[in-house]
Amino acid sequence: MSKKQDKIFDIALFKRLFQYIKPYKFVFSVLVLLVILLAVFSAATPHVTRLAIDDSIAGDNPKEFLFYITIMFAILILQTIFQLAFIYYAAWLGQTLVVDVRIKLFDHLLRFKMKYYDNSSVGVLITRAVTDMERIADIFGQGLFMIFRDLLTMAVVFGVMVYTNWRLSLIVFIMLPVLLYATRVFQKYMKKAFEEVRTEVSNLNSFVQERLTGMKILQLFTRETVEYENFKKINARHKKGWLKTVWYNSIFFPLADLSSSVTIGLVAWYGGLNVVLEGKVTEGVLVAFIMYVPMLFRPLRQIADKFNTLQMGMVAANRVFKVIDTTSQIDDTGTHVAEHFKGHLKFDNVFFSYVEDEEVLKGVSFDVNAGETVAIVGATGAGKSTIINLLNRFYEIKDGVICVDDIDIREVTLASLRTQIAVVLQDVFLFADTILNNITLNHPEITEAQVHQAAKEIGIHDFIMSLPNGYHYNVKERGVMLSSGQRQLISFLRAYVTNPSILVLDEATSSVDSYSEQLIQNATDKITKGRTSIVIAHRLATVKKADKIIVMDAGNIVEQGTHKELLKKENGYYKNLYEVQFLQEEEVI
């Protein structure tokens, strides 16, 4: 473990977290004032008790006793009010701060490259955005201000004790170094334990999230028993991490209680002898010191407990800030705002690799004229989908240039570029929401009437209206209430309603029924008409209708031309592909 990780308290990390408090300086100032008042009132109660015993009871002046009781009652009422305000505003500040941090984190996640998500666990990121955030809130709600209050209480009690009787104070202070040392050792080991716990929580979240998402695969391949055993192992590691914290607590807190009890016993013994034999200590002072000892030792015990909370929050904050500090965004340095593209596309000697030294595109060059439909065919892994990803700048190219209307797409702002390019993917993702919201994605300028009109134009309005509640039908998580063909129809409408300049279709229909396929074919014809379209073709009908066919193999363009032109090439790649794949489809049709 590095020195920075081995620190009990990371000052630099805390300073960074403290920056988020600046907008709430007033509440912070109120909390500081409340902490001071609570510390003063805590020390005042034993002092008033001493006066009541010495001046009223021992001094044979019972009339003043009611006066002291009234003061103690007033202190109790004020202390209760201040305590309520302190707890509420400390929690309020923690939750408000976390809202700001979580928004910043999510905003950061929205702008990451796809490569970041390719290499990251969704479960871990969920832990950062949800569970870790609650631990950060606890820094202020249950950690920092509680520790500050306890430390100030100890300081005030310490001063009052010394002022009242330094001999009795010396007995108390002899025991403090032992507890202070034990506290420091406890905090050091607890920090390591909490780091282990947070790691196992992330692993557990990641494992559960992936298995729930892929439950159909697990059941299809009868992996229930295997995954059950794997889960037991991860759960056992999580339990082991937590048991370490329990073990450290079970050692420290009894030791703290024992130290307090021994100290009270010594004070009672020494102070009692002085009262009885020498009269150097009054009864009131002895009672006050017996009250002071828990007030000095209990905060130290609570500080250790709250420090656990603080450390868990700091570990969580460190993990969250690591994500925020990650620079994995596409450079949005373009200045050209594209309001509309004519649709002329050009790939000029484009090289790209997902993994270093493993090129997926090897100098790809092609032109697509405005309004043309281009079909891209080739074997799996040829680089077809990569072209879609690069056109939308989900990834940065290694070399070469991609232009739209003779403008390098890196010179166009990301938002305007992606607004003008609509993509229908093979794997359609729908949110757990209504069909209408999945189509508009809550775009304020797209009305329900426009959606209805667009659906009628591409021929799927009747299909949507046949569903319960029509456009307001909730498709549930990932659109499980719809078939694959129906989900793809929704994705066609989602693309069409935005009226894009360029359309990209990953047109996979092998798993849909004939009715949905016919609707998809009609929708394809409608939305590609009159606009530049790139289609990763899986059906013969689309290939034949394309103005140009680009044939890819292992990251290279091996052939280009129309359907008829490519069929004329003897031993051509497309001709062989057509005879093996598309000709069989034509015979079935």
Side-chain angles (χ1 to χ4, degrees):
M1 184 177 289
S2 67
K3 289 183 178 180
K4 184 174 181 179
Q5 288 175 320
D6 200 41
K7 288 180 181 178
I8 291 178
F9 189 76
D10 192 333
I11 298 296
L13 179 62
F14 181 76
K15 284 182 177 179
R16 180 173 182 183
L17 197 59
F18 201 79
Q19 297 299 313
Y20 289 88
I21 293 181
K22 286 185 176 180
Y24 314 105
K25 288 181 180 179
F26 176 75
V27 175
F28 181 79
S29 300
V30 170
L31 282 168
V32 172
L33 178 61
L34 288 171
V35 165
I36 295 171
L37 291 172
L38 285 170
V40 171
F41 281 122
S42 295
T45 302
H47 181 70
V48 174
T49 303
R50 178 181 72 82
L51 294 175
I53 293 173
D54 290 343
D55 294 351
S56 297
I57 299 175
D60 196 21
N61 189 7
K63 292 182 179 179
E64 290 189 5
F65 189 72
L66 181 60
F67 170 72
Y68 288 120
I69 291 296
T70 304
I71 293 176
M72 291 178 65
F73 183 74
I75 290 174
L76 179 63
I77 295 297
L78 290 173
Q79 195 172 9
T80 302
I81 293 172
F82 293 152
Q83 184 75 2
L84 287 171
F86 170 74
I87 293 172
Y88 174 79
Y89 283 109
W92 182 91
L93 185 62
Q95 290 297 328
T96 304
L97 178 144
V98 159
V99 167
D100 296 341
V101 178
R102 185 183 280 125
I103 288 173
K104 183 170 184 178
L105 174 66
F106 189 71
D107 182 63
H108 203 61
L109 291 172
L110 288 173
R111 287 163 174 75
F112 277 151
K113 299 177 184 177
M114 289 299 107
K115 185 176 181 179
Y116 179 85
Y117 294 104
D118 293 341
N119 301 320
S120 300
S121 165
V122 174
V124 170
L125 293 177
I126 291 173
T127 301
R128 300 293 171 266
V130 181
T131 309
D132 284 344
M133 288 297 176
E134 292 305 316
R135 300 291 78 79
I136 294 174
D138 290 342
I139 290 177
F140 298 94
Q142 301 179 28
L144 174 68
F145 290 110
M146 299 292 185
I147 292 174
F148 184 30
R149 180 197 62 185
D150 291 340
L151 285 174
L152 192 58
T153 299
M154 290 176 64
V156 172
V157 169
F158 177 87
V160 174
M161 289 173 74
V162 173
Y163 174 78
T164 303
N165 190 298
W166 67 270
R167 290 183 178 85
L168 286 178
S169 299
L170 187 61
I171 295 176
V172 177
F173 302 150
I174 287 173
M175 294 298 297
L176 276 179
V178 177
L179 193 55
L180 285 170
Y181 177 75
T183 301
R184 181 170 178 81
V185 173
F186 171 72
Q187 291 167 349
K188 181 179 180 181
Y189 281 96
M190 284 299 287
K191 184 172 190 296
K192 293 179 181 179
F194 281 135
E195 286 177 343
E196 183 177 337
V197 167
R198 297 314 307 154
T199 298
E200 293 306 329
V201 167
S202 296
N203 293 338
L204 191 62
N205 284 346
S206 179
F207 183 90
V208 172
Q209 186 271 333
E210 288 183 349
R211 270 59 185 182
L212 291 179
T213 303
M215 187 58 68
K216 183 181 290 185
I217 299 299
L218 297 185
Q219 293 184 358
L220 281 172
F221 289 89
T222 62
R223 297 284 296 176
E224 295 94 336
T225 302
V226 174
E227 295 303 334
Y228 172 74
E229 293 300 325
N230 289 337
F231 180 77
K232 284 173 65 177
K233 292 176 183 177
I234 294 177
N235 211 24
R237 291 200 302 268
H238 180 253
K239 173 187 173 183
K240 183 179 178 181
W242 270 114
L243 284 180
K244 280 186 180 180
T245 68
V246 174
W247 172 245
Y248 297 146
N249 282 321
S250 65
I251 294 174
F252 174 77
F253 290 116
L255 179 62
D257 291 338
L258 177 63
S259 300
S260 178
S261 299
V262 169
T263 304
I264 291 174
L266 290 173
V267 167
W269 170 73
Y270 179 79
L273 288 178
N274 276 271
V275 170
V276 175
L277 300 178
E278 303 179 20
K280 294 180 179 179
V281 178
T282 66
E283 291 87 344
V285 170
L286 181 59
V287 171
F289 263 76
I290 291 175
M291 295 176 68
Y292 280 137
V293 170
M295 294 180 67
L296 193 64
F297 280 72
R298 190 187 304 116
L300 190 59
R301 181 188 186 280
Q302 289 175 344
I303 286 172
D305 193 19
K306 298 305 178 184
F307 209 91
N308 296 343
T309 301
L310 185 62
Q311 285 181 326
M312 289 187 71
M314 296 300 282
V315 170
N318 186 49
R319 295 176 184 274
V320 169
F321 284 133
K322 278 184 179 178
V323 178
I324 292 177
D325 291 340
T326 300
T327 54
S328 184
Q329 290 83 5
I330 296 290
D331 293 330
D332 190 9
T333 56
T335 57
H336 181 78
V337 179
E339 295 183 359
H340 182 75
F341 287 132
K342 293 179 181 178
H344 176 222
L345 300 179
K346 182 178 182 181
F347 276 61
D348 186 9
N349 201 31
V350 173
F351 288 83
F352 174 76
S353 58
Y354 292 104
V355 181
E356 191 72 23
D357 299 325
E358 295 182 16
E359 289 185 336
V360 178
L361 296 185
K362 306 169 184 177
V364 169
S365 298
F366 65 87
D367 269 279
V368 181
N369 295 323
E372 279 188 338
T373 296
V374 174
I376 303 178
V377 299
T380 301
K384 305 186 297 295
S385 295
T386 299
I387 288 177
I388 295 175
N389 291 331
L390 297 182
L391 182 60
N392 283 276
R393 291 194 70 197
F394 289 139
Y395 300 86
E396 292 283 30
I397 61 177
K398 181 180 179 182
D399 198 10
V401 179
I402 302 175
C403 294
V404 181
D405 293 350
D406 297 322
I407 303 172
D408 190 327
I409 60 173
R410 287 170 292 196
E411 297 177 6
V412 182
T413 61
L414 272 178
S416 65
L417 174 70
R418 291 173 180 172
T419 298
Q420 292 302 315
I421 302 175
V423 181
V424 178
L425 295 173
Q426 177 179 349
D427 183 18
V428 179
F429 186 93
L430 298 181
F431 296 94
D433 206 336
T434 64
I435 287 179
L436 179 65
N437 289 339
N438 269 289
I439 293 169
T440 65
L441 296 178
N442 296 305
H443 195 296
E445 296 181 4
I446 301 177
T447 66
E448 184 171 352
Q450 290 175 313
V451 173
H452 287 201
Q453 181 61 34
K456 291 175 182 177
E457 289 175 3
I458 65 174
I460 66 172
H461 175 73
D462 292 339
F463 141 65
I464 296 175
M465 292 304 296
S466 69
L467 298 171
N469 297 323
Y471 288 86
H472 297 280
Y473 178 60
N474 193 312
V475 299
K476 305 299 182 184
E477 188 173 359
R478 300 181 67 87
V480 295
M481 302 303 291
L482 302 178
S483 68
S484 58
Q486 290 172 330
R487 289 196 296 271
Q488 195 166 55
L489 287 169
I490 298 302
S491 69
F492 270 83
L493 182 54
R494 180 161 62 191
Y496 182 65
V497 78
T498 62
N499 192 28
S501 303
I502 299 169
L503 186 67
V504 180
L505 303 178
D506 190 351
E507 186 207 5
T509 58
S510 57
S511 60
V512 303
D513 58 85
S514 57
Y515 175 73
S516 295
E517 184 173 358
Q518 184 59 49
L519 288 177
I520 289 172
Q521 182 59 54
N522 295 338
T524 301
D525 294 341
K526 178 64 179 180
I527 66 177
T528 57
K529 186 177 181 180
R531 61 167 55 89
T532 304
S533 303
I534 296 179
V535 182
I536 296 179
H538 299 266
R539 300 200 313 268
L540 177 62
T542 303
V543 175
K544 281 184 172 183
K545 291 179 180 179
D547 298 302
K548 183 191 295 183
I549 300 171
I550 296 175
V551 186
M552 297 191 68
D553 181 42
N556 293 297
I557 293 178
V558 292
E559 293 174 351
Q560 293 188 60
T562 64
H563 175 68
K564 292 182 179 179
E565 291 171 348
L566 294 176
L567 285 181
K568 292 178 182 179
K569 293 186 177 182
E570 289 296 327
N571 297 319
Y573 189 99
Y574 176 79
K575 184 176 181 181
N576 292 332
L577 182 67
Y578 170 76
E579 291 174 349
V580 172
Q581 179 179 340
F582 294 134
L583 191 58
Q584 293 178 0
E585 180 185 340
E586 191 173 42
E587 290 173 354
V588 171
I589 296 173

